[in-house]
Structure formats: C-alpha cells, structure tokens
Amino acid sequence: MFKHLAASIRGVGHRTTEGIWQLGHATRFFLLVLLKSGTSFRRFGLVIRELYYVGVLSLIIIVVSGLFVGMVLGLQGYETLQKYGSESAVGTLVALSLVRELGPVVAALLFASRAGSAITAEIGLMKATEQLAAMGMMAVDPVARVVAPRFWAGVISMPFLAAIFSVMGVFGGYLVTVTFIGVDAGSFWSQMQSNVDFRIDILNGFIKSCFFGVAVTAIAVFEGYDSPPTAEGVSGATTRTVVTSSLVILGLDFILTAFMFRGI
Amino acid sequence: MIQRRTLDFWVGLFVMAGIAALMFLSLKVGNLDTYGIADSYVIKGNFDNIGGLKIRAPVKSSGVVVGRVADIQFSTSTYDAIVTMNIDSRYQFPRDTFASILTAGLLGEQYIGLAAGGDEAMLKEGDTIMKTNSAMVLEEMIGRFLFDKASEDNDF
C-alpha cells in the first residue's frame, strides 16, 4: 500500500522534472540557434531557399483559407447585423475580427501544420539518416547550416502570411456582402476605415503574428532536432510539433490580447 | 533541385505580396492616409451632453464627411463638454453654423452634423460654434415624454 503511494508520488515527480528538463533543453537550444544565426545572414541565400519552402509554398493554403474565412464572416455577420438594421457595419466586423484575431491566429495554425510539420520532419529525417552527424564530421555546424536558416525563414514569412490572410479575408467579405448580397460598397469601406485603428488594431495584429512566427518555428526546429532517430520518433515529433504549436499559439494569443487590448 | 533564379523570383514575389498586404491593411483598412487631414482648421463647440461621441468620429454636413473630432474635454468653468474638430479647409462654414450630435441609424455611431447658417462671415481657425444641440439621450427623451403625458392627463 505504502509502496504504491510512494511509486505514484515518484511518478508525478519524475514527470514534473522531465517536463522542466525538456523546457530548459528547448530554451538552451533556442538560444543556441540565435547564437549561431550569423551564418544565415552572412549567407542569406540559405534563408532565401528556406523562404521558398516555408513561405511561398504555404501561400496557396493561406490565400484560399483567408478568402473562405472572410466570406463566411461576411455571410454570418450580415445575417446577424441585418436584424438590427446595421448591415453596413459588416465591413467593420470582418476587418476587425481578421486583423485582430483570425488573421494572425488562423494563419499561424495553418503555418504550424503546413510548414512547421515539414521543418520537423525534414530535420528529424536528416538526423535519423545521420546527415547532421556527417555535417559535424566535416566541421560544418548543423545548427548554423540547417536549423538557423529554417528558423529565420519561418520568422520572416509568418507576418507576411498573416497580412496576406487578413487582406484575402477582407476581400472575401467584400465579395460576399457587397458583390453578392448588395451592401453599399461606400459604407462597407468607410465604416471599416473609421473603426479600424492603425496602432491599436493593425500594428498589434502584426506584433502578434511576429510572436507566433517565433514560437511556431522554434518549436518545429527543436522537435526536429530533438526527435529520436527512428521512423517512429520522427512521426511522433511531427505530431508533437503541430499539437504543441497550436496550443502555444492559442495560449500566447490570449496573453498577448490581454496585454494589448486591456492595457494591463 | 529548384533553380536559384526561379527561387529568387518566387521569394521576391512572396515578400512583395506580403509588403503589399501590409500596405493595404494600413492604408485601405486602417485608413492611415487620412489620419490627419492635411489641410485643416480647428473649430470648437460646447455641448451640454455629448452622449457617446468619440475622438475621430466624423463631422458631417449634408451627410458628407468634412472633418473629424480631434479632442473632447470637460470644462470646469462652464460645466459642459468642449469638442475640438478638425475641418477640411476646402469647406468653409458661416459663423452662425448649427452643430448637433446625431446618430447614424438606431444603434450606429454618433457624429457631429453641421448645418450652415446665413451669416456673411466665415468660421476661422480656433473659433467656437455658438449654436449647438446636444446628443439625444434615450432616458431623457423617455422622461420628457412621460412628463408631457402626465401634464396632459392633468388637464382633464
């Protein structure tokens, strides 16, 4: 009886220290990546190559999802607002919800599953096939050569992707409410313009997307570099990247929103 | 392996699209370009009650936006609200212009409506509008209605 109790307590303690140890490991790896980022900027071609795989190839999913999210927002917003006779405020609704929340958050979630998982799988597989070890043998630092360019490519492309997502969403909302339903185009834009503030809404949304970019890519490169060098290990790391990034994005979003819009 | 030239092209296109999206958001959605009207003059108005008027609310005349509310302050000497407005200098208004706080729709935002008077002299920078009309406050309106109703009933 007493033995079982002690064992379960030890289990809790073990899991806690393991978690904290892992967190510290991730933080040290993150600092190491930052420390060895010099190469990425001296040889910017490395980052450009990764920008193509991380940013350009994510465009399709970002553009299409942004368009449809905006269209749905427009439809739903119109349905509700017209009950109160203020359907001209639909532009404000679409723009504010996209710029403040949905743009950065949904773009980051899509980015985590589209690009983050690819980064993890690539680095994990390179580790499993001992390409990273081979690089080390040739005195090429794998963190500087492989990890840092991917990290910076993700950090650079995330704000752009979020902005493109928001613009496509506004365009989708415009398409549905103005072109199909027939809300006045003038009041759609003017209500939006008078209620969306550059500093409070757009700049804060941009800052959010920068934070998400750092978080998602840091998690992705860490999971890849840390994955057990087996097929099972790589698949597990890829799954963990998507799950952890999504949770971190949503949690971070709440914290950032609390700071930005409540002025704590 | 993708060619370096095509790679550069696509990445350049991506970055340009991103910057264009940011520009679109700040200029078209956030309306940064008309943040401060380039050429404007300042007039003031004292209102007994501004209701829900906010800074950056539009100032309209005949439904056309002619300026924006720049500042709202409370005066402890006259115990009313001083609203400072930036008016586009293309639009000149007579001295006896009537300013009232109106509401767009039933639940819409509040704005200042200017109705031009007949005076020869025009409002200049820093002038104060003499004739103002406060915002409609629903409670006061209902209160007045009930009061009128009660006094009507007493006539019998």
Side-chain angles (χ1 to χ4, degrees):
Chain A
M1 176 64 201
F2 184 71
K3 242 181 183 174
H4 282 293
L5 194 69
S8 57
I9 289 175
R10 227 180 291 129
V12 171
H14 178 72
R15 242 169 274 157
T16 312
T17 43
E18 190 81 337
I20 293 172
W21 190 86
Q22 186 80 349
L23 201 65
H25 189 47
T27 313
R28 281 177 58 189
F29 181 72
F30 178 62
L31 293 177
L32 186 74
V33 171
L34 289 185
L35 208 68
K36 296 195 173 173
S37 298
T39 325
S40 322
F41 291 100
R42 253 177 280 126
R43 292 176 60 192
F44 204 66
L46 291 175
V47 181
I48 288 182
R49 188 176 162 278
E50 295 311 323
L51 265 175
Y52 178 78
Y53 291 110
V54 168
V56 177
L57 295 184
S58 306
L59 267 182
I60 297 273
I61 190 170
I62 292 287
V63 166
V64 174
S65 329
L67 197 66
F68 277 96
V69 166
M71 276 157 70
V72 169
L73 269 179
L75 266 181
Q76 294 279 21
Y78 179 82
E79 283 303 313
T80 310
L81 284 173
Q82 61 134 332
K83 284 183 194 155
Y84 305 99
S86 45
E87 60 266 23
S88 57
V90 75
T92 315
L93 176 96
V94 170
L96 274 185
S97 34
L98 277 166
V99 168
R100 279 188 177 187
E101 289 295 333
L102 290 177
V105 171
V106 178
L109 290 174
L110 291 171
F111 182 75
S113 32
R114 164 68 186 75
S117 58
I119 291 175
T120 306
E122 199 181 3
I123 296 179
L125 216 60
M126 282 171 108
K127 190 184 177 191
T129 52
E130 295 183 336
Q131 293 180 45
L132 295 185
M135 274 184 183
M137 291 285 288
M138 294 185 288
V140 176
D141 189 346
V143 174
R145 179 66 179 74
V146 172
V147 175
R150 283 169 175 73
F151 173 72
W152 284 108
V155 171
I156 292 169
S157 49
M158 187 59 236
F160 289 145
L161 290 172
I164 291 170
F165 187 94
S166 298
V167 170
M168 288 318 291
V170 170
F171 178 67
Y174 177 85
L175 208 67
V176 163
T177 54
V178 176
T179 318
F180 296 158
I181 297 179
V183 174
D184 180 46
S187 59
F188 181 88
W189 289 115
S190 70
Q191 287 253 357
M192 184 191 294
Q193 287 169 353
S194 62
N195 287 306
V196 179
D197 186 77
F198 176 73
R199 204 187 61 76
I200 296 174
D201 300 320
I202 294 173
L203 209 61
N204 278 344
F206 179 78
I207 293 169
K208 266 188 189 176
S209 59
C210 293
F211 270 97
F212 295 159
V214 173
V216 169
T217 18
I219 290 168
V221 291
F222 173 71
E223 288 292 355
Y225 202 80
D226 192 51
S227 68
T230 56
E232 207 182 4
V234 174
S235 87
T238 315
T239 312
R240 268 204 308 280
T241 296
V242 177
V243 173
T244 318
S245 313
S246 308
L247 293 178
V248 166
I249 288 164
L250 295 171
L252 205 57
D253 180 50
F254 175 74
I255 295 169
L256 287 172
T257 309
F259 271 100
M260 285 168 176
F261 297 106
R262 294 291 306 157
I264 297 170
Chain B
M1 188 67 198
I2 188 163
Q3 279 281 310
R4 178 64 193 266
R5 282 163 56 84
T6 35
L7 199 96
D8 282 352
F9 173 77
W10 282 110
V11 172
L13 211 64
F14 166 64
V15 171
M16 268 155 63
I19 292 172
L22 283 173
M23 294 280 283
F24 177 83
L25 282 183
S26 29
L27 295 182
K28 187 79 183 172
V29 178
N31 208 18
L32 195 65
D33 53 346
T34 55
Y35 214 71
I37 301 160
D39 233 7
S40 64
Y41 60 101
V42 176
I43 55 172
K44 286 180 181 173
N46 295 18
F47 293 89
D48 290 332
N49 193 333
I50 60 163
L53 191 74
K54 291 185 185 66
I55 291 176
R56 282 197 17 90
V59 179
K60 294 183 186 178
S61 187
S62 311
V64 181
V65 177
V66 294
R68 290 203 179 274
V69 173
D71 191 27
I72 298 170
Q73 265 168 356
F74 183 68
S75 158
T76 43
S77 56
T78 50
Y79 293 104
D80 57 9
I82 305 172
V83 177
T84 314
M85 296 163 255
N86 280 333
I87 308 290
D88 194 327
S89 30
R90 280 178 299 171
Y91 307 113
Q92 299 288 328
F93 287 93
R95 285 276 299 280
D96 57 346
T97 293
F98 199 89
S100 42
I101 296 177
L102 305 169
T103 309
L106 192 60
L107 297 164
E109 55 169 0
Q110 290 195 304
Y111 64 96
I112 295 185
L114 296 181
D119 203 321
E120 298 283 313
M122 294 294 172
L123 282 168
K124 291 187 301 294
E125 167 86 29
D127 276 358
T128 303
I129 292 179
M130 291 300 157
K131 292 195 274 185
T132 59
N133 195 1
S134 289
M136 289 280 197
V137 178
L138 204 59
E139 289 89 334
E140 279 180 12
M141 232 157 65
I142 294 170
R144 205 176 303 150
F145 174 74
L146 288 177
F147 187 74
D148 286 354
K149 199 77 184 157
S151 59
E152 252 174 52
D153 290 348
N154 284 346
D155 289 346
F156 288 105

